[in-house]
């Protein structure tokens, strides 16, 4: 069975702090994709990153970075120097065989 | 990339009334399409997905149904709404070339 766990329900930080959102997944398949999405207060989910199971290279995009470790089945997301605009709910997801499995989301509050 | 259109953005319906939410996709052909529901402050629940015209997979037995009359059209329906059908409904499409799922803006449904 496929499962994605985001143990952090809600995180609050002060602007400019770094914050890491955790994501742990379960699957018996060797081929899958992992995603992160951002859901701002408006509600629409915004795609942030996709990683396939054969690519364990970490990725950096501006203030965002992702750490994929198959050995621990984790795909963590770090925001460096957080800003108020980063406040949102973030979802981690796993995809294979036509279906996406989402974690329960982590609500990030960035205070000025 | 593909664009997902959903309407209406907001809907208030009485208990027992019918429902029809429409989702259309631009920018890709033969996408996999998905309907999700999100209760307030909760994660995403997959309701239905479709890999082609007339092909619907139901993930959760409930008061709703889905249809895909055209390649880029996905409809969520109910004959009689229940209070528990209230929520935020999101349509999504998977772009085959990248296996990435893109979301529409969502419909906030309140059943009174």
């Amino acid at each position: 069975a496929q499962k994605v766990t985001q143990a952090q329900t809600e995180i609050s930080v002060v602007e400019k702090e770094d914050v890491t959102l955790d994501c742990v997944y379960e699957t018996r398949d060797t081929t899958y994709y992992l995603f992160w999405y951002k859901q701002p207060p408006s509600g629409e989910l915004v795609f942030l990153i996709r990683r396939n199971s054969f690519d364990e290279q970490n990725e950096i995009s501006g203030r965002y970075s992702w750490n994929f470790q198959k050995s621990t089945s984790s795909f963590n997301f770090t925001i460096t120097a957080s800003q108020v605009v980063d406040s949102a709910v973030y979802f981690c997801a796993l995809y294979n065989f036509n279906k996406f499995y989402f974690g329960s989301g982590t609500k990030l509050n960035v205070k000025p | 990339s593909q664009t997902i259109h959903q309407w209406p953005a907001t809907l208030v319906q009485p208990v027992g009334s019918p429902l029809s939410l429409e989702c259309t996709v631009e920018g890709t052909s033969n996408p996999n399409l998905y309907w999700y529901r999100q209760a307030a402050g909760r994660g995403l629940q997959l309701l239905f997905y479709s890999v082609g015209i007339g092909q619907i997979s139901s993930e959760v037995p409930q008061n709703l149904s889905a249809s895909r009359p055209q390649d880029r059209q996905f409809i969520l329906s109910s004959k009689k709404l229940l209070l528990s059908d209230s929520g935020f409904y999101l349509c999504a499409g998977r772009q085959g070339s990248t296996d990435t799922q893109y979301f529409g803006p969502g419909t906030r449904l309140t059943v009174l």
Side-chain angles (χ1 to χ4, degrees):
Chain A
Q2 334 286 342
K3 186 179 178 182
V4 176
T5 301
Q6 295 180 253
Q8 304 151 308
T9 305
E10 188 165 352
I11 301 175
S12 293
V13 298
V14 177
E15 209 170 16
K16 296 185 183 178
E17 283 185 14
D18 299 347
V19 58
T20 295
L21 309 182
D22 298 332
C23 172
V24 174
Y25 63 92
E26 294 176 30
T27 181
R28 292 184 180 179
D29 298 302
T30 57
T31 302
Y32 52 89
Y33 292 93
L34 297 168
F35 298 83
W36 275 96
Y37 287 87
K38 175 181 180 180
Q39 186 178 39
S42 62
E44 183 171 348
L45 270 79
V46 178
F47 164 72
L48 295 178
I49 189 171
R50 177 184 70 115
R51 252 305 171 254
N52 75 53
S53 53
F54 300 107
D55 183 1
E56 285 192 74
Q57 280 195 345
N58 294 328
E59 183 159 338
I60 298 175
S61 176
R63 296 183 297 106
Y64 295 171
S65 62
W66 292 269
N67 181 266
F68 176 25
Q69 292 195 343
K70 287 180 77 171
S71 60
T72 56
S73 297
S74 65
F75 187 42
N76 296 338
F77 174 28
T78 297
I79 302 174
T80 303
S82 59
Q83 300 177 1
V84 172
V85 293
D86 295 326
S87 296
V89 179
Y90 290 85
F91 290 96
C92 179
L94 177 146
Y95 168 81
N96 67 354
F97 299 116
N98 292 322
K99 287 171 63 174
F100 288 81
Y101 302 85
F102 282 83
S104 55
T106 298
K107 185 176 182 182
L108 175 64
N109 302 305
V110 182
K111 302 174 183 178
Chain B
S1 64
Q2 61 185 302
T3 302
I4 311 291
H5 300 283
Q6 275 186 256
W7 61 90
T10 306
L11 191 60
V12 180
Q13 292 284 96
V15 169
S17 63
L19 173 73
S20 181
L21 300 182
E22 187 163 347
C23 168
T24 59
V25 182
E26 262 186 66
T28 188
S29 57
N30 196 31
N32 282 10
L33 297 174
Y34 304 80
W35 277 111
Y36 293 89
R37 179 170 62 199
Q38 186 178 30
R42 305 289 295 274
L44 297 171
Q45 179 187 35
L46 177 63
L47 301 175
F48 302 94
Y49 71 95
S50 170
V51 299
I53 296 174
Q55 299 179 64
I56 308 294
S57 295
S58 174
E59 290 299 301
V60 183
Q62 48 195 313
N63 188 39
L64 302 169
S65 63
S67 62
R68 186 167 176 178
Q70 299 180 43
D71 181 46
R72 300 179 194 182
Q73 185 184 28
F74 201 26
I75 299 171
L76 182 69
S77 304
S78 173
K79 292 182 180 177
K80 288 186 179 181
L81 284 168
L82 306 172
L83 287 174
S84 57
D85 291 324
S86 294
F88 188 51
Y89 288 83
L90 287 156
C91 179
R94 180 182 74 87
Q95 186 169 341
S97 59
T98 64
D99 280 323
T100 297
Q101 189 173 62
Y102 294 94
F103 286 81
T107 295
R108 293 197 185 277
L109 173 65
T110 303
V111 182
L112 300 174

